[in-house]
Amino acid sequence: MSEAGTVLVDRWIRALEARHAADLSFAEIRRGLQALSSLYVERRHRVPLSDAFRGAGKRAAYALFYGPLHFLVVGRIVRDLEALSPPPDRILDLGCGTGAAGAAWAVEAGGAPEILGVDRSDWAVREAGLAFRALGLRGRARRADLDRARLPGARGAVVAAYTLNEIESAARNRLRERLLDAAVGGTRVLLVEPVARRAVPFWEEWSAAFASAGGREDTWRFRLELPERLRLLDRAAGLDHREFAARSLFIRKPSASTTS
């Protein structure tokens, strides 16, 4: 991330702290983070992640910890995939949560793309809008079904990070076909999910479909330089995100210069 990007992220985290830590103690946020960790790691296959937004402690922990963490992860993946050139003119963030994934891609692209975040949670939609503003990005978020969102055109991009497991199976399959059709027209598509297979039981099917359409699958393991607030929460909750793993699917239509 550029120095300017780092300054923006620091400003975003300070804004999150001012809003979410004003009425909660550090211990309350730590307990919320521990509950979220259990939800993600131990109970994701039984409990919907929409539960992450229930309760002030969990909402604060999600906003203060997992939002910036996902921002760092997606930003790193976008850079390593060389998905920035040319910068997309519009980014659709499906299941945007607090807006982290779309914002990461936009910041890495120099802040030029316009972001549309889509989520089923009113709380998440509000948070995403505030995040875009804090990061100085052009963006908005709205509440909608993820599989019905209008996809951007040939100069646009779609990102869905830690989202697909939240969609009912038939709707998820419809979305897969729509994403692949959009990719044929030139839309860049990036999907990011956990490495654990049980969290994404549909992954092999999606991976095969993306490979058949000319996409790629990657497994990522890298070290993260966490901002100080995230390091404190990570350690206090008994977690360790200094190293991070994720898997991704990415597809883009080759440009004329690549194919000539």
Side-chain angles (χ1 to χ4, degrees):
M1 188 189 307
S2 68
E3 183 177 347
T6 301
V7 170
L8 285 173
V9 172
D10 288 342
R11 187 172 71 186
W12 175 37
I13 292 175
R14 287 197 302 271
L16 288 170
E17 286 184 315
R19 196 164 63 255
H20 290 286
D23 300 318
L24 294 171
S25 67
F26 184 85
E28 288 172 317
I29 297 173
R30 172 184 54 78
R31 288 195 294 271
L33 180 55
Q34 289 169 326
L36 282 180
S37 177
S38 172
L39 187 64
Y40 273 114
V41 176
E42 300 169 13
R43 298 185 291 132
R44 183 171 183 172
H45 60 296
R46 302 194 307 271
V47 181
L49 283 182
S50 55
D51 280 10
F53 301 151
R54 294 179 182 168
K58 284 193 289 185
R59 286 195 298 268
Y62 189 96
L64 280 168
F65 187 82
Y66 280 111
L69 182 67
H70 292 168
F71 179 97
L72 295 172
V73 169
V74 172
R76 171 67 180 269
I77 291 173
V78 165
R79 289 197 304 275
D80 286 358
L81 285 173
E82 300 181 352
L84 298 169
S85 181
D89 59 2
R90 181 174 176 238
I91 299 171
L92 174 65
D93 188 345
L94 292 173
C96 63
T98 58
W105 199 333
V107 168
E108 293 294 339
E114 181 181 9
I115 312 167
L116 174 61
V118 175
D119 203 286
R120 293 179 298 184
S121 162
D122 289 329
W123 176 81
V125 164
R126 289 192 297 272
E127 282 295 314
L130 291 169
F132 301 152
R133 190 180 312 160
L135 290 163
L137 301 171
R138 295 185 302 131
R140 58 189 177 90
R142 63 182 178 86
R143 190 174 186 274
D145 290 333
L146 309 188
D147 64 313
R148 299 181 184 277
R150 182 179 178 182
L151 303 182
R155 295 183 59 191
V158 179
V159 61
Y162 308 99
T163 294
L164 296 177
N165 202 50
E166 287 296 282
I167 306 174
E168 186 268 334
S169 178
R172 187 167 58 234
N173 290 338
R174 289 195 301 270
L175 177 61
R176 183 186 66 217
E177 298 311 310
R178 292 184 65 218
L179 291 174
L180 292 174
D181 285 346
V184 170
T187 305
R188 277 166 271 184
V189 179
L190 172 63
L191 312 176
V192 180
E193 291 289 346
V195 169
R197 290 284 181 181
R198 69 175 184 173
V200 281
F202 53 85
W203 187 261
E204 289 186 6
E205 183 180 352
W206 277 63
S207 178
F210 269 64
S212 295
R216 59 181 283 179
E217 176 186 8
D218 292 277
T219 299
W220 307 91
R221 297 183 186 277
F222 43 71
R223 293 189 65 84
L224 287 176
E225 293 297 326
L226 298 178
E228 179 63 21
R229 182 67 172 188
L230 270 66
R231 286 199 298 270
L232 290 173
L233 279 169
D234 201 37
R235 189 164 57 245
L239 306 174
D240 187 352
H241 285 88
R242 290 174 298 178
E243 293 188 350
F244 199 88
R247 67 174 75 244
S248 69
L249 295 173
F250 180 62
I251 187 168
R252 70 181 298 175
K253 183 179 180 181
S255 65
S257 60
T258 321
T259 56
S260 58

